[in-house]
Amino acid sequence: IMGGSLVFSFWSFTGMETSFALFWYLLSIYYLLTLLENQDFQLRNAVLGGATLALAALSRPEVYLIVIVNLLVLLFMVSASSRLKTVLLYLGSFLLLFGPVFAWKYNYYGFPFPNTFYVKVDYSSATLMKFGLGYLLNALSAHLPLLITLIVSFIVAAKTMLSRRYL
């Protein structure tokens, strides 16, 4: 359904770094899943998983949160015999690539997130409500045909299911 929406199709490639970050993130997920599939210690997959996640985090700041999730997955899903070694290598390879760049950016700019984040964010409730309602109205107007189709389909399916159930 979303593939047929022009808005979502446009958003999928508008940011130059979005596809780049997604590539590295998906590659890191591949290495994470490979680590979880084979419970034996795997130096290569632990190092490459952390390194590819670092490359994704260098291009998009929201990947910082994914690092925490991946580490929690490793802590709870990897066998106890190789857990510490795997987590340390994963985190170490991530920090080896990400750490120096992050330290330089923080030292130079003075903030952990990109400047554009702080310019765009206003934390007052009125501003958040204004932008939220504007976004909701724009999304509804852009997706009105899709929304009407989904509602009609749901009503038809519900009537069909109810009529068959009580016959």
Side-chain angles (χ1 to χ4, degrees):
I1 293 175
M2 288 173 42
S5 169
L6 294 177
V7 175
F8 283 109
S9 299
F10 178 72
W11 281 349
S12 67
F13 64 86
T14 54
M16 292 188 316
E17 77 284 352
T18 305
S19 300
F20 182 74
L22 184 61
F23 168 74
W24 291 115
Y25 171 64
L26 289 175
L27 194 58
S28 76
I29 293 297
Y30 167 77
Y31 289 122
L32 180 69
L33 291 175
T34 306
L35 273 169
L36 296 177
E37 183 181 6
N38 185 356
Q39 288 292 317
D40 297 333
F41 173 70
Q42 300 170 4
L43 171 73
R44 176 181 175 267
N45 290 330
V47 170
L48 289 175
T52 53
L53 196 57
L55 293 171
L58 287 172
S59 58
R60 297 290 297 192
E62 60 269 17
V63 178
Y64 302 170
L65 297 173
I66 297 170
V67 173
I68 297 167
V69 171
N70 284 7
L71 288 174
L72 289 173
V73 166
L74 286 173
L75 283 173
F76 290 107
M77 301 293 288
V78 173
S79 65
S81 61
S82 63
R83 181 176 301 142
L84 181 62
K85 200 183 313 182
T86 301
V87 169
L88 287 177
L89 278 171
Y90 195 89
L91 185 60
S93 64
F94 174 82
L95 290 175
L96 186 67
L97 289 175
F98 181 76
V101 176
F102 182 80
W104 176 82
K105 282 182 177 181
Y106 188 76
N107 184 42
Y108 188 80
Y109 296 109
F111 298 104
F113 294 107
N115 236 4
T116 54
F117 172 80
Y118 298 105
V119 170
K120 293 177 185 177
V121 175
D122 180 7
Y123 295 107
S124 68
S125 297
T127 303
L128 292 176
M129 186 65 88
K130 179 181 124 188
F131 285 130
L133 287 174
Y135 183 81
L136 178 65
L137 292 174
N138 285 337
L140 287 176
S141 66
H143 299 293
L144 193 59
L146 178 64
L147 187 62
I148 291 171
T149 304
L150 287 174
I151 291 171
V152 170
S153 300
F154 179 75
I155 292 170
V156 169
K159 283 185 176 182
T160 304
M161 287 175 46
L162 288 174
S163 66
R164 288 183 185 171
R165 180 176 285 177
Y166 295 110
L167 286 180

